[in-house]
Amino acid sequence: MSIKLITPLMRNGISEMHLKLARTCKDISKVGLSILSILDEYLDVFEYVPEELVFKKVRIPEKTFAREISTLRTKKLVESHSTRAAYRLTFLGLDCLALLELVEKGVVTHVGPSIGTGKESVLYLAKTSTNEIAVVKFYKIGRVSFKKVVRYRGYLTDQPSWLEASKLAAEREYRALLLLSKHTNLIPKVWGWSKHAVVMEYIDGEDLYRYRNARDPKSILNLILTTMRSAYLNAGIVHADLSEYNIVVSVRDSSEIPYIIDWPQYVSREDPLAEEYLTRDVSNLLKFFKRRYGVSLDLEKTVGYVKGLVDGI
Ligand SMILES: Nc1ncnc2c1ncn2[C@@H]1O[C@H](COP(=O)(O)OP(=O)(O)OP(=O)(O)O)[C@@H](O)[C@H]1O
Ligand SMILES: [Mg+2]
């Protein structure tokens, strides 16, 4: 994966525009942005915000308003209700609000190509104001993943909209990474968050399930367990969706370093389900290491290690 493709995003405007998302966001007019912000403001009140309300708040002539709304609709930043005069933000509209806010706050200065799509997110390469390579993870919680969300992620069940649910997920991931950063280095550093987007360190590596022929699988597993132990004992949290799919292995100076990613569904260790989730997380990992590398550890003992009940495995 080349990071050379990263294009300057903006200080005073996006200077290169091969990137669709950056181009779309850059082209929004000032009034257009105000309309998007108003729709965002009412996200927790209305699914579709009545036109009257938006019009009253934005304070522009009727004709200009109609033109701006039409442009936003054409660009798919806004959708209108099928029968009523009312509008709602699309994910693309929220992407732009988040990205522009992150640029404004000085969290990111450049944005690059998309590096992947998860079941619940789209990730873009970016550069921070301190010149570090980052990832902007935009949450896209929707119908496809919602069953999974409800089943595994109790914290989202009462959310009124996908956009709201996505914002909550981003905020949770930001908080988890920030908390964890005080206790372990084996998670991505986090630089900021806005709306449904989190800006975190780009881990140059490969997902554990894709990473074949590990040189030292035992050491990789040990490092993962140490990180989980630190998360449990020092940060007081359990990942709750851990498996070979949420670990990125980075190879540096011939050492294999596993980073634990994707934290929005974490639970506090005081949560009544924490024990169950922790056991499931450990069990997923042990099954993977047994199947792929023949490394065998006792489940109960390993859970005890992560919980700090014993000092070694
Ligand atoms: N900080 C990062 N650095 C490098 N790659 C990353 C980073 N975060 C995520 N990725 C890549 O993007 C993929 C999806 O990310 P993540 O697991 O966080 O999102 P997700 O939408 O919850 O995915 P899923 O639901 O499919 O597990 C990861 O499997 C990984 O390959
Ligand atoms: Mg994941």
Side-chain angles (χ1 to χ4, degrees):
M1 185 182 315
S2 165
I3 54 169
K4 289 191 201 99
L5 285 173
I6 288 188
T7 58
L9 176 58
M10 60 173 74
R11 274 284 140 119
N12 306 308
I14 297 166
S15 51
E16 275 194 54
M17 305 191 297
H18 80 254
L19 189 70
K20 210 171 141 215
L21 174 65
R23 191 191 304 131
T24 306
C25 300
K26 185 219 165 201
D27 284 349
I28 305 172
S29 69
K30 245 186 157 170
V31 175
L33 263 181
S34 311
I35 294 174
L36 295 182
S37 299
I38 293 166
L39 296 179
D40 180 38
E41 231 175 87
Y42 283 106
L43 211 56
D44 56 347
V45 187
F46 302 102
E47 195 192 352
Y48 286 85
V49 185
E51 182 176 68
E52 223 182 280
L53 202 68
V54 186
F55 180 63
K56 228 162 77 192
K57 281 212 130 195
V58 77
R59 294 160 170 269
I60 48 169
E62 215 167 307
K63 260 195 180 159
T64 321
F65 180 74
R67 200 180 54 231
E68 291 287 343
I69 287 280
S70 158
T71 308
L72 292 174
R73 287 182 57 196
T74 311
K75 289 185 174 166
K76 302 199 178 340
L77 297 159
V78 157
E79 275 168 5
S80 54
H81 192 274
S82 54
T83 54
R84 282 185 285 120
Y87 306 103
R88 74 169 176 196
L89 265 183
T90 60
F91 265 117
L92 185 59
L94 195 65
D95 290 351
C96 287
L97 282 179
L99 198 54
L100 295 171
E101 188 173 276
L102 289 168
V103 170
E104 192 133 296
K105 283 201 239 162
V107 181
V108 298
T109 54
H110 298 60
V111 71
S114 166
I115 59 159
T117 308
K119 279 192 284 299
E120 301 174 344
S121 64
V122 180
L123 292 99
Y124 286 82
L125 274 183
K127 218 152 124 182
T128 66
S129 49
T130 45
N131 255 342
E132 283 160 292
I133 303 298
V135 160
V136 184
K137 178 175 177 181
F138 293 97
Y139 273 89
K140 304 275 157 114
I141 290 175
R143 275 161 233 283
V144 180
S145 58
F146 200 64
K147 261 195 194 152
K148 175 185 156 193
V149 167
V150 174
R151 198 154 6 106
Y152 295 120
R153 306 184 172 186
Y155 69 91
L156 287 172
T157 37
D158 296 329
Q159 286 309 300
S161 86
W162 310 124
L163 300 184
E164 281 278 65
S166 300
K167 281 185 173 186
L168 184 56
E171 182 179 353
R172 285 187 57 97
E173 177 143 45
Y174 173 75
R175 293 200 188 290
L177 290 176
L178 196 63
L179 180 64
L180 288 160
S181 68
K182 298 186 179 95
H183 308 288
T184 171
N185 292 322
L186 299 191
I187 47 128
K189 276 186 227 148
V190 70
W191 284 296
W193 133 81
S194 166
K195 319 234 176 252
H196 63 322
V198 188
V199 182
M200 66 181 91
E201 179 186 7
Y202 168 65
I203 308 295
D204 189 6
E206 224 172 335
D207 290 357
L208 179 61
Y209 78 96
R210 285 181 194 275
Y211 183 69
R212 302 253 152 207
N213 309 316
R215 243 164 297 164
D216 194 346
K218 261 192 197 155
S219 151
I220 297 177
L221 177 57
N222 276 337
L223 285 171
I224 298 168
L225 295 172
T226 309
T227 309
M228 292 173 76
R229 178 176 159 112
S230 182
Y232 187 88
L233 289 179
N234 304 320
I237 64 175
V238 171
H239 185 287
D241 190 21
L242 196 54
S243 70
E244 62 274 28
Y245 297 98
N246 280 330
I247 291 166
V248 178
V249 181
S250 180
V251 180
R252 251 174 284 148
D253 303 326
S254 72
S255 303
E256 298 162 308
I257 308 167
Y259 288 81
I260 303 184
I261 60 163
D262 203 8
W263 287 86
Q265 68 296 313
Y266 78 91
V267 295
S268 146
R269 79 176 164 210
E270 269 81 47
D271 189 290
L273 292 173
E275 178 86 23
E276 192 184 311
Y277 288 140
L278 182 66
T279 307
R280 191 181 64 194
D281 285 355
V282 174
S283 165
N284 288 341
L285 286 170
L286 295 191
K287 276 188 200 149
F288 171 77
F289 277 90
K290 176 97 202 288
R291 192 171 67 238
R292 174 85 54 99
Y293 296 110
V295 174
S296 192
L297 288 182
D298 180 71
L299 177 61
E300 208 176 311
K301 237 175 144 181
T302 312
V303 170
Y305 169 73
V306 172
K307 289 170 72 182
L309 304 177
V310 289
D311 285 338
I313 318 152

